[in-house]
Amino acid sequence: MRHFAYQRAGDVAEATALHGSDRSADFIAGGTNLIDMVKLDIMRPERLVDVNRLPLTAIESLDDGRLRIGALVTNTDLAYDERIQADYPVLSEALLSGASTQLRNVATTAGNVMQRTRCPYFRNPSRPCNKREPGSGCGALDGINRNHAVLGVSDKCIAVHPSDMCVAMAALGATVTVEGPSGVREIPFEEYHLLPGDTPEREHALSDGELITHVTLDAPITGAKGHYLKLRDRASFEFALASCAAVVTMDGDTVREARIALGGVATKPWRSFEAEAALSGQPASEATFKQAAEAALAGAVAHRDTAFKIPLAKQAIVRALTTVTAQ
Ligand SMILES: Cc1cc2nc3c(=O)[nH]c(=O)nc-3n(C[C@H](O)[C@H](O)[C@H](O)COP(=O)(O)OP(=O)(O)OC[C@H]3O[C@@H](n4cnc5c(N)ncnc54)[C@H](O)[C@@H]3O)c2cc1C
């Protein structure tokens, strides 16, 4: 059994001071991911800084139309917030498609952004994994990789980013506010999660000791409709094999603007600018949606068991667009 120290912070300044830049310390929020990692011996914190008493539980409408979500807002509270359901339905649907009611009741916004991959090689310390142990190799590349990524992969890592919430946020546009030893920083959501490249152990733009304090959604796009479609092995309590967040505005039967992001198939929440370009100004037809799907998956790379994900992701895009444009 590994021992760790436990400290509870009362405000942001205390939390960041307690953490410092100590690489052996971790923040703990709902604990639904972190405690799993500790039990699996993947994360080995010597100190846990509990952030649950920080005053970061509000969802605030800002004067410029954006919506500021406190890091500790639970996935349940966010999904059922009236402003989210009215103006960002794609986010509510994504949240409610994830995990279970019990988990969503304690899982937090920041914890969801920071959740680790479900790759079985990452989660098994006896297997090689460049993300967990740089330079040890990637067991998934030539191993059992049915649940792995086809977009954003490298020859060091093909692990999928598992979040549903983040896929919707990628489509909507957002900013992550972080606070730490060097002050407050704003990070565009698009730049927050990193591609694995040669350094899969670097998963996000957070520096040592920085705490996420808020995620702020861009102002809703006037007249936009949204939908999140999640395809998985069973209908609930399962991660995505392929998912699509679609946010669309129409001029009559023509797509004026579209935002498309994919989950379950990529190493980070995957905004597809290629699909968006293929949709803009085009008639809302099956042919257009198929062209967008082709564009989104044009750069996909399949490994032994992942080839099926390419047509599956295309179907997710076509179905999500068919649903959203029929609303
Ligand atoms: C059985 C199961 C099924 C699941 N299914 C799904 C699913 O279908 N879809 C989905 O999207 N997710 C799913 N999840 C993942 C779930 O959404 C995450 O576990 C949860 O969102 C993590 O939030 P938390 O508050 O519990 O984080 P914690 O476990 O407390 O923390 C997770 C990580 O975030 C860090 N952290 C927490 N707060 C902050 C902060 N403010 N600033 C910086 N770092 C911070 C911690 O240090 C830790 O590294 C599932 C989880 C489980 C256990």
Side-chain angles (χ1 to χ4, degrees):
M1 181 172 159
R2 291 180 198 276
H3 292 266
F4 56 83
Y6 171 84
Q7 295 166 308
R8 186 185 278 150
D11 56 32
V12 171
E14 189 182 1
T16 53
L18 282 173
H19 191 296
S21 301
D22 179 0
R23 288 195 164 182
S24 69
D26 276 307
F27 296 118
I28 181 166
T32 61
N33 191 234
L34 181 98
I35 298 298
D36 266 5
M37 296 290 109
V38 172
K39 286 184 190 163
L40 291 168
D41 206 23
I42 306 301
M43 291 172 76
R44 299 167 184 166
E46 290 174 16
R47 277 191 310 122
L48 285 184
V49 178
D50 185 338
V51 296
N52 283 289
R53 293 201 178 166
L54 271 48
L56 298 173
T57 55
I59 304 173
E60 300 160 86
S61 302
L62 303 184
D63 290 342
D64 59 7
R66 296 185 303 153
L67 195 67
R68 194 167 81 144
I69 304 159
L72 287 170
V73 173
T74 66
N75 288 181
T76 298
D77 286 347
L78 189 57
Y80 290 115
D81 183 89
E82 283 178 11
R83 292 157 293 182
I84 295 289
Q85 291 192 318
D87 296 334
Y88 306 96
V90 65
L91 179 56
S92 181
E93 288 180 12
L95 284 158
L96 294 176
S97 77
S100 65
T101 306
Q102 291 85 348
L103 281 159
R104 293 193 297 266
N105 285 346
V106 289
T108 63
T109 302
N112 196 319
V113 169
M114 292 291 288
Q115 66 172 295
R116 314 295 299 276
T117 181
R118 313 301 287 194
C119 171
Y121 296 92
F122 172 75
R123 287 167 66 90
N124 184 341
S126 70
R127 299 290 180 160
C129 171
N130 289 321
K131 187 182 277 299
R132 177 169 33 74
E133 200 180 323
S136 63
C138 171
L141 278 175
D142 297 315
I144 299 169
N145 51 35
R146 177 177 180 270
N147 291 332
H148 287 73
V150 293
L151 291 168
V153 298
S154 76
D155 60 0
K156 300 282 190 300
C157 182
I158 56 172
V160 158
H161 191 279
S163 172
D164 294 297
M165 181 193 83
C166 291
V167 177
M169 287 179 171
L172 291 166
T175 306
V176 183
T177 306
V178 306
E179 193 164 336
S182 41
V184 178
R185 289 198 298 143
E186 304 271 342
I187 306 169
F189 198 79
E190 180 64 24
E191 295 168 20
Y192 190 81
H193 297 97
L194 305 179
L195 290 170
D198 287 334
T199 52
E201 72 280 10
R202 290 190 61 237
E203 297 179 324
H204 49 72
L206 209 61
S207 298
D208 290 340
E210 283 185 322
L211 175 86
I212 297 176
T213 57
H214 302 90
V215 178
T216 305
L217 300 178
D218 290 358
I221 303 166
T222 308
K225 304 270 188 339
H227 179 52
Y228 185 73
L229 176 69
K230 179 174 178 179
L231 306 178
R232 45 190 158 171
D233 281 327
R234 58 182 178 197
S236 77
F237 204 24
E238 187 57 275
F239 289 89
L241 287 171
S243 70
C244 177
V247 179
V248 177
T249 51
M250 303 281 289
D251 277 328
D253 293 333
T254 301
V255 176
R256 187 192 318 152
E257 185 185 348
R259 302 281 189 84
I260 301 292
L262 302 176
V265 290
T267 51
K268 60 176 274 186
W270 192 263
R271 174 117 178 242
S272 177
F273 295 100
E274 298 83 359
E276 294 173 9
L279 290 162
S280 177
Q282 298 301 314
S285 64
E286 189 179 352
T288 301
F289 303 159
K290 283 183 172 168
Q291 276 171 13
E294 291 297 329
L297 274 297
V301 177
H303 288 78
R304 195 188 75 182
D305 307 324
T306 52
F308 79 102
K309 283 199 169 187
I310 298 173
L312 193 70
K314 290 179 186 173
Q315 285 164 22
I317 294 169
V318 172
R319 264 184 60 191
L321 284 166
T322 304
T323 303
V324 79
T325 54
Q327 284 176 7

